[in-house]
Amino acid sequence: MPSSVPSFAELLGRCERSAVHLELRDSYAPTDRFEAWKRGDRIDWQNRASWWHPYDQTIADAVARGVVIRRARVVSEPVSEYVRWEHYVTHANITAGEDVRWLPRRQATSIALPGNDFWLFDGALLRVHHFSGDGAVVEDEITADPETVKLCAAAFESVWERAIPHRLYEI
């Protein structure tokens, strides 16, 4: 069944000022890249052609247009193996132009958090990610409902304010 939700690239392509991403899970469905990392394979960060993906270019293009892109991750500590890998590959996000921060879950108790990961574009349009228990994407949902947008925007800003910049977050 085809999705009626616009692609991430399309939504970011329409974005004019800001895109924020809140991640709340300690693991997502495994990828080939994650499995390779678990086997000990490491990325040659000097060889950009070996790791630069279309996603990275989409981010870089938006940043070049003046879009500020921030990503915040709420993580349990000690971190899961998946989060350890995410921390490692965040070099690509930073290189593409994202600003990334990490918030230990124990510091999020007093924050009203939504139940799902999301992207918020220009403070007005949400792309909500719904995952299965094992971390696979079940579906994405688009909403501009003002109350939902307000909750998610406030949650992101509360997390961002407390979170640790990537360069300073040690796992």
Side-chain angles (χ1 to χ4, degrees), residues 64-111:
R65 290 192 331 270
V67 177
V68 174
I69 301 177
R70 297 181 293 157
R71 176 187 301 259
R73 292 178 170 135
V74 178
V75 296
S76 300
E77 291 180 324
V79 300
S80 67
E81 187 175 30
Y82 193 95
V83 168
R84 189 173 301 282
W85 172 73
E86 275 189 319
H87 189 271
Y88 172 73
V89 297
T90 295
H91 178 82
N93 300 87
I94 301 292
T95 301
E98 289 187 32
D99 191 358
V100 179
R101 293 187 183 181
W102 304 79
L103 182 66
R105 193 171 308 282
R106 71 178 176 275
Q107 294 176 23
T109 304
S110 62
I111 299 173

Side-chain angles (χ1 to χ4, degrees), residues 46-64:
Q46 301 303 313
N47 180 6
R48 184 168 149 161
S50 71
W51 58 267
W52 191 258
H53 294 184
Y55 171 84
D56 302 312
Q57 191 60 53
T58 299
I59 295 294
D61 291 346
V63 169

